[in-house]
Amino acid sequence: MKVLKARALALAILLSFFVLQTGAFAQSNILDGPTLPSFRFPLGEVTPRTFDGGWAKEATVKNFPASQNIAGVLMSLKPGALRELHWHANAAEWAYVISGSCRITIIDPQNRVEHAEIGPGDVWYFPRGHGHSIQGTGTEDCKFILVFDNGSFSDFATFSITDWVAHTPPEVLAKNFKMSSSIFKDFPKKEVYIAQGPVPAPLPAEALPFTQVAAPLTHKYSLNAQRGDLWPGGRFQLASQKQFPISSTMSGAIQTLDAGGGLREMHWHPNADEWQYYISGHARMTVFGSGGRSRLEEFGPGDVGYVPQGYGHYIENASETEPCKTIIVLNSGDYQEISLSQWMASNTAELLGTNFKVSKKIFESLQQNNPMMTK
Ligand code: MN
Ligand code: MN
């Protein structure tokens, strides 16, 4: 009996050890070797901060440790709701509208201002420190993604005008604005952040008297309207500084991977980190971090992905029926990438044979011009 019990116990220990091992194995990676921290953050599942007129949820290095250099926000504004006049000291702002419409206003240090109507698929870029606001227009809620080129940036710690006015003596406000000090007693005592108001009338066809910004300085770019690059496995619509001149510190793209195995080929970015927001569909991404470390994770709608500068990665559509649409944002206006297949094809078959310790014949059929996406 005793022997049987001991055997059963030993078997149980062995089994639990096996389960633990395979559990950890399945969770972290498919291949041998040490693993990396998670590059996936379920932004869609975050409890939002709610306000009259809208809500916001954020991913910063605090709740998503991998995202060292880029932070992001998912925000929704009701028609007429205003993300108040504010600025950020420590980050530029890149945005993509998922649904609905809004109006942006911005001022630069030369007192040039722009008011622009923004719709689904449009992008805006606000340089670091420039004052701006966003207001919902139309008849449905406006949902958009904000991306900041600083992992520690929090949209709940911006410089808001209600906050500043609330913390300035009324006599100074009176002198500053040439108004009576009594006017300010009814002003908010703390930051408003989002304020619900009436839906603004459409902007006049002719520029407002104080709208002085024209191309190429415009803060708006219609990314969805761009044809982009079509590949056998999908489509890539890019807005780097080349296409969107004001966007000097960030590049953004819409990446659409075809159903049934569309693959964004193995590559890396030598000059930038990559931040992703999965809008629709499902995909698998593997991030390779040197030293035998790599990590495979699956992404779905509402998820954020992150790839540190220089880390190798690929993204593969995980659905047979649904395309996967992802917003890709990099923290450089100069979009750069190096493709593994392109690099290999630029070397001799002999060198590659030596490199992989196999026959050089294997590499004689390597393609010279490699697509960004394939199937
Ligand atoms: Mn902002
Ligand atoms: Mn990439």
Side-chain angles (χ1 to χ4, degrees), residues 38-70:
S38 179
F39 295 111
R40 174 185 168 267
F41 180 74
L43 180 59
E45 290 166 23
V46 169
T47 306
R49 279 206 197 179
T50 54
F51 304 84
D52 285 342
W55 53 260
K57 31 180 112 173
E58 68 178 4
T60 74
V61 72
K62 265 193 185 162
N63 55 4
F64 181 27
S67 65
Q68 290 287 317
N69 300 314
I70 304 176

Side-chain angles (χ1 to χ4, degrees), residues 236 255 264-265 267-269 272-274 276 285 307 311-315 328 330 335-337 372:
F236 199 71
Q255 171 185 282
R264 173 73 175 94
E265 282 207 343
H267 69 281
W268 72 94
H269 306 282
D273 304 283
E274 174 173 327
Q276 311 161 341
M285 175 169 73
V307 184
Y311 279 41
H313 53 290
Y314 67 80
I315 307 168
I328 306 267
L330 297 101
Y335 181 84
Q336 295 184 2
E337 65 168 81
M372 188 181 212

Side-chain angles (χ1 to χ4, degrees), residues 43 49 56-64 67-75 83 86-94 124 126-130 132 134 144-160 191 193 250 275 306:
L43 180 59
R49 279 206 197 179
K57 31 180 112 173
E58 68 178 4
T60 74
V61 72
K62 265 193 185 162
N63 55 4
F64 181 27
S67 65
Q68 290 287 317
N69 300 314
I70 304 176
V73 167
L74 180 62
M75 191 178 289
R83 172 69 180 96
H86 70 280
W87 73 98
H88 339 120
N90 58 356
E93 173 175 319
W94 186 99
W124 70 74
F126 299 149
R128 177 181 300 210
H130 295 193
H132 55 274
I134 310 155
F144 50 91
I145 280 288
L146 301 172
V147 189
F148 304 93
D149 54 359
N150 181 339
S152 304
F153 175 85
S154 172
D155 205 58
F156 304 124
T158 60
F159 292 80
S160 296
E191 182 187 39
Y193 192 77
M250 293 161 99
W275 190 97
Y306 191 83

Side-chain angles (χ1 to χ4, degrees), residues 269-336:
H269 306 282
N271 67 336
D273 304 283
E274 174 173 327
W275 190 97
Q276 311 161 341
Y277 181 78
Y278 288 78
I279 293 179
S280 58
H282 289 83
R284 287 179 287 263
M285 175 169 73
T286 297
V287 174
F288 168 62
S290 80
R293 299 171 308 154
S294 82
R295 187 166 183 131
L296 168 68
E297 289 174 292
E298 190 151 337
F299 297 78
D303 284 346
V304 166
Y306 191 83
V307 184
Q309 180 173 330
Y311 279 41
H313 53 290
Y314 67 80
I315 307 168
E316 186 181 23
N317 192 325
S319 163
E320 286 303 312
T321 52
E322 203 188 348
C324 181
K325 191 171 168 182
T326 310
I327 295 304
I328 306 267
V329 186
L330 297 101
N331 52 357
S332 172
D334 175 21
Y335 181 84
Q336 295 184 2

